[in-house]
Amino acid sequence: MSLALALLTGTAAVAWWGPAALRLCFRHVADPIAVLLGWLGLLLAVIATFVLAIAMLLAPGTTHEWALHDLARICWHWTRPSRPPALDEVVGAAGALIMLAVLAKFAATCARRARSAHRARRAHADLLTLAGGVSIPGEAAVLWIPHPTPLAYSLGGSGGVTVLASCARDLPADQLAAVLSHERAHLRERHHVLVSAVEGLAAAVPWLPLTREAPSAVRLLVELRADAAAVRECGHAAVRNALLTFAGAPHPPSALSMAGADVAIRLQRLHARRPHERNVAARAVLASVALIAPLSIGLLAGIISCL
């Protein structure tokens, strides 16, 4: 087995079984940032290792020709009655075509989502202007809309906006503060961009378990991260009561809601003895292991094949 094929083996193994390993980590690691780094690290490592392997297959040996030139040369050989291409060339050409198709689908999906999110932000900005709302420098605007059901969500983008139902004014002050703290954490840490990126990747590569399961996992983890920020400012009881109040509230697809993802799991974490505790060691270990996992498994597969 060549090194490039070994790297592809490691990439495939991580893409298929990585989510199961991360679900196990989620059950035993309280810090949502640590598990989030694991997901993002695996996604980045799988993409980088796949691209490296394809580059090695298209440019074997000591050649320094451009990879796309090699791809065109291989396709030309296929149309002529000459020797059949080697396995590395076939796999490399197929991988390059898959990579180009995925990139095109990812770009198209992200562009479509960006247009939808922009329209939603524009509509809310117009409502804010009509309502006579003002933005405080350095803080996201807050838009109050008439709605019989308590709802709260935030929309990312330039400045961002937090939207709440007018009936939420009647909530206890600590619950309202917890909701605002939660949504401001989403905006401050750019969670909307992160969720949009992994959802675009899932749309481009829906047949891989890693990319298919990433959106729901990342949404839950950023909600837990925002819960942690609200707990530090307002306390456990306020966040728990706010979650119960806003559970099931509607929100736009591009928004992040106060109670938009796995409320039961979030409440369970809040009832834990040390919910959302920071764990620097777990963050470092999960990020490091995730980044080297495809390469390490690929090298191990290559060594085993040589025995």
Side-chain angles (χ1 to χ4, degrees), residues 98 101-107 109 198-208 211:
I98 291 173
V102 167
L103 182 60
K105 182 67 179 294
F106 176 73
T109 301
V198 295
E199 288 181 345
L201 194 57
V205 196
W207 31 270
L208 279 182
T211 52

Side-chain angles (χ1 to χ4, degrees), residues 116-135:
S116 176
H118 176 73
R119 286 194 294 268
R121 287 195 303 271
R122 184 65 180 269
H124 285 79
D126 291 343
L127 285 175
L128 183 65
T129 302
L130 290 173
V134 295
S135 298

Side-chain angles (χ1 to χ4, degrees), residues 1-3 6 296-307:
M1 180 185 293
S2 67
L3 177 58
S296 301
I297 295 175
L299 292 176
L300 179 62
I303 293 171
I304 292 175
S305 69
C306 294
L307 297 178

Side-chain angles (χ1 to χ4, degrees), residues 20-32 34-35 269 274 276-277 279 282 286:
L22 288 170
R23 287 194 296 270
L24 180 63
C25 292
F26 179 77
R27 289 197 291 268
H28 296 282
V29 178
D31 187 357
V35 185
R269 286 292 179 103
R274 292 181 295 175
H276 317 120
E277 71 171 346
N279 192 330
L286 278 175

